[in-house]
Amino acid sequence: MGGKYRITGNTYPRMHRPRNRRKLVLSTAAAVVALGLAGWGTLQLIDVFTGGDKQANAADRPKACPSPSASTPAKALPKPAAIKVNIYNATPRSGLAKAAADELKKRGFAIGKVDNAPAAYDKKVPGTGMLLGGPTAMNGSFPVLATQLPGAAQKTDTRRTADVDLIIGTKFKAFSTPAAAASALTALTKPAPAPSSC
């Protein structure tokens, strides 16, 4: 070629198509959106499997504290005078049923039969004693009588009467002190405080 510009040598200038900036911007934006969606989806899966969202919501919610008056109502338990107790001695020691009856009578209980234990229980009550009564005694007479003899076993039978049996066991030494029994009875009749998360 002649003229001012001549091409010399073996190298020729490469001709590039002009870059399309719009395609480059769109592809970059699409990549950013795709990465954002993938990250968001991963967080959602983590929240579903760990319950993280619930914990966060619970922390944000204001705590509702119950008022001091909101508590479980007191149990309506019978008075000792309303409980008729039959006392049976299941130990080899003689006179124990009579002594126990006298002590419970002093503490306000009504005393019924006082005798040796029937053959089914004679020398077969290994603990301090056993309380035996109808199904209604479980939430009535038993808790009151158990304040006098903590640790006594409790068992129901098919009787329909309100009386309960106290069968004295081989490990019986004495009833709890009147002060300890009164304190335990007061604790039973007090309303239980409502659990607070505050």
Side-chain angles (χ1 to χ4, degrees):
M1 288 180 70
K4 187 176 180 181
Y5 300 102
R6 289 188 179 182
I7 297 173
T8 57
N10 298 330
T11 305
Y12 295 92
R14 293 188 178 180
M15 306 296 283
H16 291 289
R17 295 177 70 184
R19 288 185 182 174
N20 193 342
R21 287 188 181 271
R22 185 186 291 174
K23 281 186 182 178
L24 182 63
V25 169
L26 284 176
S27 60
T28 304
V32 169
V33 169
L35 284 172
L37 284 174
W40 181 77
T42 304
L43 285 175
Q44 292 303 310
L45 281 174
I46 290 170
D47 282 347
V48 165
F49 288 110
T50 62
D53 205 22
K54 287 180 186 173
Q55 290 170 356
N57 287 343
D60 293 340
R61 273 189 233 120
K63 290 181 181 177
C65 296
S67 62
S69 61
S71 58
T72 308
K75 283 185 181 179
L77 294 172
K79 299 283 182 192
I83 301 172
K84 185 178 179 183
V85 187
N86 305 313
I87 301 173
Y88 298 102
N89 183 7
T91 74
R93 293 176 279 168
S94 62
L96 203 53
K98 175 77 169 70
D102 291 343
E103 183 59 35
L104 286 181
K105 189 173 183 180
K106 282 182 200 172
R107 298 185 186 200
F109 289 88
I111 304 301
K113 295 177 185 174
V114 179
D115 204 348
N116 289 324
Y121 295 103
D122 192 26
K123 299 178 186 65
K124 294 175 185 172
V125 180
T128 56
M130 177 184 286
L131 303 178
L132 189 63
T136 56
M138 268 308 221
N139 294 317
S141 304
F142 283 0
V144 177
L145 197 52
T147 61
Q148 310 298 321
L149 188 60
Q154 298 179 8
K155 186 178 177 183
T156 57
D157 57 17
T158 55
R159 78 180 76 185
R160 293 180 181 251
T161 54
D163 63 322
V164 293
D165 299 344
L166 169 58
I167 305 171
I168 299 171
T170 52
K171 289 187 181 174
F172 175 81
K173 289 189 173 129
F175 291 113
S176 57
T177 64
S183 176
L185 188 58
T186 303
L188 278 176
T189 55
K190 271 187 181 174
S196 173
S197 58
C198 301

